[in-house]
Amino acid sequence: MYEKSDTVEVCLEAKQISKIYPGTLALDKVDIKLYRGKVNVLIGENGAGKSTLMKIIAGVEQPTEGTILFHGNEVSFTNTREAAEAGIGIIHQELNLFPNLTVAQNIFMAREKTKYGKINEGEHNKQTKDVLQKLEQAIEPDKIVGELRVGQQQIIEIAKTMIQKELSILIMDEPTSSLSNKEVEVLFHLIEELKQQGVAIVYISHRMEEIMRIGDTVTILRDGKLVASERVSEIDLPWIVEKMVGHSGKKIKKNEHKKLGKEILKVENLVLPREDGLALDDVSFSLFEGEILGIYGMLGAGRTEILECLMGRNKDVKGDFFVDGKYAKPKSVPDQISKGFAYIPEDRQKEGLIQSLSVAKNLTISSLKNYTWFFHLLKKQEENAVTETIKNFFIKVSNSDLPIYSLSGGNQQKVVIGKSILTSPKILLLDEPTRGIDISAKADVFEIVNKLADQGIAVILVSSELNEMINVADRVIVLSKGKVTGEFTGSGVNEQSLMRAATGGE
Ligand SMILES: Nc1ncnc2c1ncn2[C@@H]1O[C@H](COP(=O)(O)OP(=O)(O)OP(=O)(O)O)[C@@H](O)[C@H]1O
Ligand SMILES: [Mg+2]
């Protein structure tokens, strides 16, 4: 990739790395070089082996075969602590935080500072404050982590690696999946600083525009094999997509001439208080059978709150709710499920899956009543539902009896979506459904959503991706600071109109 004459320094070289899990060849003789002071991007479809390769470099997993040269010397780390001591930090794809502990306690977990034999909380709080300031976050060190929103929790994960001394490699496995645009900018600024200090950054992401913007080199994996390594300046987006999926990619297609059914949901004058004012301020809208209604807005505009109110998770909401023309104020989550609502939450790791169960059980746990007859479980029906869903969503798993944690991050997301669709809902609420999902699977997810809408299911889609709003939604309502600031259909759904309404018309 780089010529001998280029003055770049290889900081780590992994040679012929293979990793076998029971029944899965996750990596097949992969070579990779990481360059000092560069952003080394790693991409590939869900299940391609990205996280596994990085876990091996960071000492979380051991390779079945292969060698790793770090600054020219062969190393084999048996755990993350050894890798951390050598200067390798990793920000995992999944959040690894203790929700009931404070921010400072999480940041100093397993590397507590002591003074006279006691944990030096003062020092912890001070350093936490410093690092959060650097990340431009006004979060108090004694705040309980579980009370932070997902994006802020992701920032705490980033802060954890920042206090590590003398980093020479920092691995970021999808660090921006829950971050707002502003938070992404702060992170990119930080990455720039780390590059200056000579840190080799490994950056994993499914957001192509990020890769083109901050990447120096790109390595592409497909099905556990190395497909290509190139300098980002030498290539373009179509080239990446072609290498990644083996064809030029699928486009999301909108059904332009569809007929909507009757009004299935109507909400009027929703008001929801929060600490510093109103999360929802007099919100009213309707939803029709077969419609895909987009809700767009900046972070904190009230998008997720609307879905939570509809799902019966927020008891403090005032206003009127009508389902099928009948007054139906949400009482509880089970009550809403019985009325035909299904919800795919933003924080899927925590809320969507039971880690101790198999892929199959996770898929069918919410829809068991569909496979029972007078209290008997109809094994065949259940199996069919599982097989169908795995096929429809291209879930990469060799056997559905495997535990859910053995799936790659993106494939776990697909299970959460498949699971809620199996409940045969009438109203489907999707909160950022394509987060962490690779580009070809994104098109698959929306193809399924379109199909469901064609069958008459009403869908509400919350997404911060403008192109998803434009390419998928039939109608979009825009929120700003809890108020509806715009409603668009047809050609009115475009980047300019949505952005203008989202920023409150400024
Ligand atoms: N603990 C495990 N046990 C069994 N199989 C596993 C385990 N961890 C990963 N795998 C398998 O290894 C393969 C590679 O997974 P990996 O998590 O590295 O993918 P990825 O490229 O990070 O995908 P994503 O974009 O979805 O995060 C997948 O087929 C996955 O199911
Ligand atoms: Mg991964």
Side-chain angles (χ1 to χ4, degrees):
M1 175 170 15
Y2 286 103
E3 307 293 329
K4 278 232 160 58
S5 55
D6 293 325
T7 49
V8 284
E9 196 183 310
V10 174
C11 165
L12 180 141
E13 181 172 6
K15 290 184 184 173
Q16 298 288 295
I17 301 288
S18 293
K19 176 74 187 176
I20 301 175
Y21 288 113
T24 311
L25 179 58
L27 293 170
D28 186 5
K29 300 201 172 66
V30 172
D31 293 322
I32 189 170
K33 283 181 184 163
L34 304 182
Y35 298 92
R36 185 172 187 273
K38 303 278 180 204
V39 175
N40 304 259
V41 166
L42 183 59
I43 57 176
E45 290 182 285
N46 296 132
K50 305 177 295 292
S51 297
T52 306
L53 183 58
M54 289 307 120
K55 283 181 189 161
I56 287 173
I57 290 178
V60 183
E61 297 271 6
Q62 277 64 54
T64 313
E65 259 179 64
T67 48
I68 297 174
L69 301 176
F70 182 47
H71 295 301
N73 304 317
E74 188 167 337
V75 289
S76 83
F77 303 121
T78 48
N79 54 50
T80 39
R81 188 173 276 239
E82 282 177 24
E85 272 161 18
I88 302 178
I90 183 164
I91 300 167
H92 285 284
Q93 184 171 10
E94 301 84 27
L95 296 172
N96 282 306
L97 299 169
F98 295 91
N100 46 354
L101 297 185
T102 67
V103 170
Q105 283 166 337
N106 267 285
I107 287 183
F108 283 91
M109 180 57 67
R111 51 184 150 208
E112 289 86 358
K113 304 232 174 301
T114 50
K115 194 174 177 185
Y116 312 122
K118 278 215 218 106
I119 290 182
N120 189 347
E121 297 217 11
E123 186 59 26
H124 287 185
N125 285 342
K126 186 182 161 298
Q127 287 195 29
T128 300
K129 247 200 153 90
D130 289 349
V131 67
L132 288 175
Q133 200 153 29
K134 211 164 166 193
L135 292 164
E136 296 179 29
Q137 284 297 316
I139 304 171
E140 287 303 317
D142 58 0
K143 181 98 181 165
I144 299 292
V145 160
E147 293 169 7
L148 300 173
R149 60 179 176 76
V150 194
Q152 290 176 316
Q153 294 188 12
Q154 205 165 24
I155 287 177
I156 304 302
E157 284 285 2
I158 296 168
K160 255 165 69 180
T161 55
M162 300 306 307
I163 57 150
Q164 209 167 306
K165 290 273 143 36
E166 283 161 45
L167 267 181
S168 68
I169 297 178
L170 180 56
I171 300 165
M172 302 183 166
D173 196 346
E174 296 189 39
T176 57
S177 58
S178 310
L179 299 189
S180 68
N181 291 345
K182 191 164 152 253
E183 289 162 343
V184 171
E185 290 308 317
V186 174
L187 180 69
F188 283 4
H189 190 74
L190 182 80
I191 288 178
E192 215 35 66
E193 255 174 54
L194 292 168
K195 274 175 75 170
Q196 299 298 329
Q197 295 163 21
V199 177
I201 313 272
V202 179
Y203 194 84
I204 301 179
S205 176
H206 291 291
R207 296 180 172 179
M208 296 297 147
E209 66 284 10
E210 289 181 352
I211 291 162
M212 299 310 285
R213 191 174 140 198
I214 64 157
D216 294 302
T217 74
V218 54
T219 301
I220 304 179
L221 297 181
R222 195 198 307 160
D223 278 334
K225 292 191 184 60
L226 173 72
V227 199
S229 289
E230 259 307 340
R231 283 200 260 178
V232 172
S233 57
E234 304 293 311
I235 53 155
D236 58 10
L237 205 59
W239 182 90
I240 295 185
V241 175
E242 166 75 38
K243 293 281 179 223
M244 222 175 111
V245 303
H247 52 80
S248 58
K250 278 191 243 169
K251 285 240 159 27
I252 308 169
K253 266 212 308 286
K254 179 146 72 179
N255 180 355
E256 300 280 356
H257 309 283
K258 72 164 139 194
K259 284 205 173 62
L260 301 183
K262 63 177 190 316
E263 183 183 82
I264 180 132
L265 173 76
K266 184 157 101 170
V267 300
E268 285 185 327
N269 315 108
L270 299 192
V271 175
L272 178 71
R274 73 168 166 218
E275 284 167 28
D276 56 344
L278 294 178
L280 296 177
D281 185 356
D282 202 18
V283 171
S284 306
F285 64 89
S286 301
L287 176 70
F288 297 84
E289 284 174 346
E291 184 179 35
I292 302 177
L293 172 68
I295 300 185
Y296 185 71
M298 299 292 150
L299 206 89
R303 303 168 307 179
T304 297
E305 284 82 355
I306 288 189
L307 300 190
E308 288 190 332
C309 291
L310 286 174
M311 208 52 210
R313 287 177 161 214
N314 224 320
K315 303 282 152 44
D316 302 332
V317 64
K318 297 204 172 55
D320 296 323
F321 295 74
F322 302 87
V323 176
D324 255 339
K326 283 198 242 9
Y327 189 83
K329 184 149 187 180
K331 288 196 212 69
S332 64
V333 177
D335 185 44
Q336 289 307 88
I337 294 174
S338 72
K339 284 195 191 120
F341 284 78
Y343 177 40
I344 297 174
E346 197 179 8
D347 187 358
R348 291 185 277 272
Q349 281 292 322
K350 196 172 86 214
E351 303 189 25
L353 296 169
I354 302 175
Q355 292 293 333
S356 56
L357 292 183
S358 69
V359 174
K361 281 286 165 235
N362 267 289
L363 274 171
T364 55
I365 192 158
S366 306
S367 53
L368 282 177
K369 69 174 186 331
N370 293 355
Y371 330 110
T372 41
W373 193 67
F374 291 107
F375 306 108
H376 289 288
L377 191 62
L378 304 171
K379 205 75 199 122
K380 197 77 208 139
Q381 263 93 327
E382 190 184 2
E383 277 170 22
N384 286 346
V386 169
T387 320
E388 270 297 290
T389 310
I390 288 178
K391 194 179 98 212
N392 285 342
F393 285 90
F394 301 94
I395 296 172
K396 195 181 170 204
V397 57
S398 52
N399 175 344
S400 63
D401 292 329
L402 286 173
I404 189 78
Y405 62 74
S406 72
L407 256 56
S408 78
N411 282 299
Q412 293 191 24
Q413 312 263 29
K414 295 186 206 167
V415 170
V416 181
I417 300 176
K419 161 187 156 174
S420 68
I421 286 172
L422 280 178
T423 63
S424 8
K426 286 194 287 191
I427 300 173
L428 182 61
L429 312 175
L430 302 169
D431 200 352
E432 304 281 1
T434 60
R435 178 170 288 167
I437 289 185
D438 71 52
I439 46 169
S440 60
K442 264 183 200 170
D444 296 329
V445 167
F446 285 123
E447 210 176 294
I448 291 167
V449 171
N450 273 326
K451 228 186 265 171
L452 294 170
D454 287 341
Q455 292 163 17
I457 293 172
V459 180
I460 299 184
L461 168 69
V462 165
S463 169
S464 22
E465 309 260 336
L466 268 171
N467 66 333
E468 291 184 1
M469 284 290 136
I470 295 166
N471 293 318
V472 182
D474 302 310
R475 178 164 61 102
V476 177
I477 57 176
V478 182
L479 295 176
S480 170
K481 298 183 186 136
K483 279 194 169 66
V484 177
T485 51
E487 178 172 341
F488 307 93
T489 51
S491 59
V493 182
N494 58 52
E495 206 170 314
Q496 267 186 340
S497 56
L498 295 187
M499 286 299 287
R500 195 172 310 132
T503 49
E506 282 151 35

